[in-house]
């Protein structure tokens, strides 16, 4: 794949268009605008991995560091066949904004390896992860760039990265990554943080709209992975009827509400939501069109597009995934006040917020209780929600534009205060 094709990615084009439109509407300083439009650096590597059968295969890896004016680069690492430079760059840019929206002293980064992790054995995944880590080892660290899990990676992946980095440094360096197992310096509550944070934002949005989140409230969750599953569990625990869920294999529904705890046990045993006894099959494409109070797209990007956006019948759209709404669909939503959008840079920021907590705990070697984690997470997310609501009201703009303005404005302030070197 040529470099031109790498950059010609729909998500990159969409993200840059959103940034440019926001910059124009907030009259962003032209020098800051030019600097933020591109990442500080992009690391592209092709590296060999020996497979279990003795073959040597080459893989393409990326780490894009967008801006570190407010603190060290921070962002996830994904393993997917769709990974490319354009996608990773777009996600890094959004991470910069997300950290600024939440008021975290961090910058934005993102990384990935173009691979289908489901096709590799555990031993192959470990070798791939360790080799990728050595390729970027001089560009990551507790004070420079801190990776975290994302699509296709998990706490085991982070443990391998931490160990590889630590072996090279000659001593344990837990703070080099977040999202690790608790036994090697991870934080309580990190695995549930993104899904829990989405629900925290739904709670605040419901209060803002005068809605009562109870047994009469319905929700649909697209994606039953780490984010969607924990969001569904939290809603179910609150008494909300989760009437439909989906995963990569299919979708199910039950108008009376799904038993999410039983569904989780089913998925743990069978690997998919399809076939769950107390449900009926649903066309996955129709899940986002269901008449529910809360819709949480928590799978992949671009699922709400110009073809189905007019069919949305939810009151609150909480973006658990990154970029679930295309640029064209977003233009429709901006003019549709019937749907209250909680944009991804706000809705799914629980993960990076608790990653920040984990990083702080690792640096000071002092750990907090799960109760402290959840309380601090809600305080930060709720404060950020009301700040964005305030921007939307003052500027008379939609929530996505308000969130982007809020984050970019904080970055602009920091960049002007630090000045230009030399």
């Amino acid at each position: 794949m040529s470099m031109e094709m790498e950059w010609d990615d729909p998500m990159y084009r969409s993200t840059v268009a959103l940034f440019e439109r926001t910059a124009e509407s907030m009259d962003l300083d032209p020098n800051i605008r030019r600097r933020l439009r591109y990442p500080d650096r992009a690391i592209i590597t092709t590296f060999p991995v020996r497979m279990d059968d003795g073959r040597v295969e080459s893989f393409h890896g990326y780490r894009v560091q967008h801006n570190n004016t407010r603190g060290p680069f921070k962002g996830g690492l994904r393993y997917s066949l769709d990974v490319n430079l354009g996608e990773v760059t777009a996600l890094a840019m959004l991470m910069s904004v997300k950290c600024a929206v939440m008021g975290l002293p961090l910058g934005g980064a993102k990384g990935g390896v173009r691979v289908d992790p489901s096709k590799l054995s555990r031993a192959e995944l470990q070798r791939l992860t360790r080799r990728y880590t050595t390729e970027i080892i001089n560009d990551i660290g507790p004070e420079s760039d801190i990776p975290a899990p994302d699509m296709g990676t998990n706490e085991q992946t982070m443990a391998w990265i931490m160990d590889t980095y630590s072996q090279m440094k000659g001593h344990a360096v837990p703070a080099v990554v977040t999202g690790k197992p608790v036994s090697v310096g991870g934080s309580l509550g990190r695995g549930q943080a993104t899904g829990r944070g989405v629900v925290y934002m739904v709670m605040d949005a419901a209060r803002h709209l005068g809605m009562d989140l109870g047994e009469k409230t319905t929700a649909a969750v697209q994606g039953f992975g780490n984010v969607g599953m924990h969001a569904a569990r939290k809603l179910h625990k609150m008494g909300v009827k989760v009437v439909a869920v989906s995963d990569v294999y299919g979708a199910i529904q039950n108008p009376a509400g799904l038993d999410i705890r039983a569904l989780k046990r089913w998925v743990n045993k069978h690997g998919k939501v399809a076939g769950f006894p107390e449900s009926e099959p649903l066309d996955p494409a129709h899940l986002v069109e269901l008449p529910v109070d809360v819709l949480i797209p928590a799978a992949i990007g671009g699922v709400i597009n110009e073809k189905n956006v007019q069919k949305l019948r939810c009151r609150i759209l909480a973006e658990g995934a990154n970029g679930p709404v295309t640029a064209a669909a977003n233009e429709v939503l901006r003019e549709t006040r019937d749907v209250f959008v909680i944009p991804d840079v706000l809705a799914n920021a629980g993960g990076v917020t608790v990653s920040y907590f984990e990083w702080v705990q690792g640096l000071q070697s002092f750990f907090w209780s799960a109760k402290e984690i959840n309380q601090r997470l809600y305080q930060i997310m709720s404060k950020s929600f009301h700040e964005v609501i305030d921007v939307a009201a003052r500027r008379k703009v939609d929530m996505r534009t308000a969130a982007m303005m809020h984050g970019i404005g904080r970055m602009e302030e920091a960049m002007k205060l630090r000045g230009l070197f030399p």
Side-chain angles (χ1 to χ4, degrees), residues 6 43-53 55-63 78-81 83 112-121 123-133 135-136:
E6 288 268 4
I43 302 149
I44 306 172
T45 177
T46 302
F47 57 92
V49 176
R50 189 174 298 280
M51 312 308 284
D52 291 342
D53 61 5
R55 290 178 298 112
V56 175
E57 286 197 14
S58 292
F59 295 90
H60 302 292
Y62 309 86
R63 187 67 181 175
R78 58 176 52 184
Y79 287 174
S80 168
L81 287 175
V83 166
V113 176
R114 195 181 304 158
V115 61
D116 181 352
S118 68
K119 299 293 176 61
L120 271 59
S121 70
E124 289 170 338
L125 277 173
Q126 180 170 183
R127 289 194 292 272
L128 178 142
T129 300
R130 290 185 182 276
R131 180 56 190 255
Y132 169 76
T133 304
E135 295 290 326
I136 64 168

Side-chain angles (χ1 to χ4, degrees), residues 288-303:
V288 299
E289 302 169 8
L290 292 175
V292 292
D293 298 302
V294 180
L295 174 62
I296 302 176
I300 58 175
V303 295

Side-chain angles (χ1 to χ4, degrees), residues 57-317:
E57 286 197 14
S58 292
F59 295 90
H60 302 292
Y62 309 86
R63 187 67 181 175
V64 174
Q65 299 169 332
H66 177 255
N67 185 276
N68 65 349
T69 303
R70 289 173 51 85
F73 297 109
K74 186 83 186 76
L77 168 65
R78 58 176 52 184
Y79 287 174
S80 168
L81 287 175
D82 296 327
V83 166
N84 61 66
L85 182 60
E87 178 195 62
V88 175
T89 302
L91 293 169
M93 182 182 290
L94 291 172
M95 276 300 301
S96 291
V97 177
K98 187 183 297 185
C99 290
V101 168
M102 304 310 291
L104 305 179
L106 298 167
K110 207 74 176 185
V113 176
R114 195 181 304 158
V115 61
D116 181 352
S118 68
K119 299 293 176 61
L120 271 59
S121 70
R122 177 185 169 89
E124 289 170 338
L125 277 173
Q126 180 170 183
R127 289 194 292 272
L128 178 142
T129 300
R130 290 185 182 276
R131 180 56 190 255
Y132 169 76
T133 304
T134 63
E135 295 290 326
I136 64 168
I137 200 162
N138 293 325
D139 299 286
I140 63 172
E143 294 158 348
S144 56
D145 184 356
I146 309 111
D150 200 282
M151 184 190 303
T153 59
N154 53 29
E155 62 177 21
Q156 178 60 77
T157 316
M158 296 305 108
W160 288 331
I161 294 175
M162 175 213 160
D163 182 71
T164 305
Y165 186 90
S166 298
Q167 293 294 339
M168 295 293 186
K169 298 299 178 182
H171 57 89
V173 189
V176 67
V177 292
T178 58
K180 305 178 298 296
V182 173
S183 56
V184 290
S187 175
L188 295 171
R190 174 59 185 88
Q192 304 93 330
T194 308
R196 181 181 290 270
V198 171
V199 177
Y200 285 160
M201 293 295 88
V202 170
M203 291 164 57
D204 276 0
R207 291 192 194 98
H208 174 71
L209 298 170
M211 290 173 54
D212 179 29
L213 285 181
E215 59 184 20
K216 293 183 179 180
T217 310
T218 56
V221 180
Q222 184 193 50
F224 203 66
N226 184 57
V227 179
M229 185 270 290
H230 286 297
R233 283 185 68 185
K234 179 69 174 172
L235 288 171
H236 180 70
K237 189 176 180 180
M238 292 167 56
V240 174
K241 286 196 296 185
V242 180
V243 298
V245 300
S246 67
D247 58 18
V248 295
Y249 303 107
I252 58 171
Q253 66 176 341
N254 183 340
L258 295 160
D259 184 339
I260 300 301
R261 290 183 179 178
L263 178 58
K264 182 177 182 296
R265 291 193 295 269
W266 173 270
V267 171
N268 288 342
K269 182 176 181 180
H270 299 276
K272 55 185 177 181
V273 300
F276 181 58
E278 299 174 17
S279 70
E280 56 188 44
L282 171 70
D283 183 341
H286 291 163
L287 183 140
V288 299
E289 302 169 8
L290 292 175
V292 292
D293 298 302
V294 180
L295 174 62
I296 302 176
I300 58 175
V303 295
I304 297 173
N305 50 52
E306 60 272 25
K307 295 180 181 178
N308 61 15
V309 65
Q310 298 279 16
K311 299 177 183 178
L312 293 185
R313 291 188 283 172
C314 59
R315 183 67 185 96
I316 297 174
L317 176 64

Side-chain angles (χ1 to χ4, degrees), residues 370-388:
K371 184 177 180 180
E372 287 176 301
I373 295 287
N374 293 333
Q375 286 177 340
R376 294 179 191 212
L377 174 61
Y378 178 71
Q379 288 169 357
I380 287 178
M381 294 202 72
S382 184
K383 179 175 181 288
S384 300
F385 177 86
H386 288 97
E387 287 171 348
V388 172

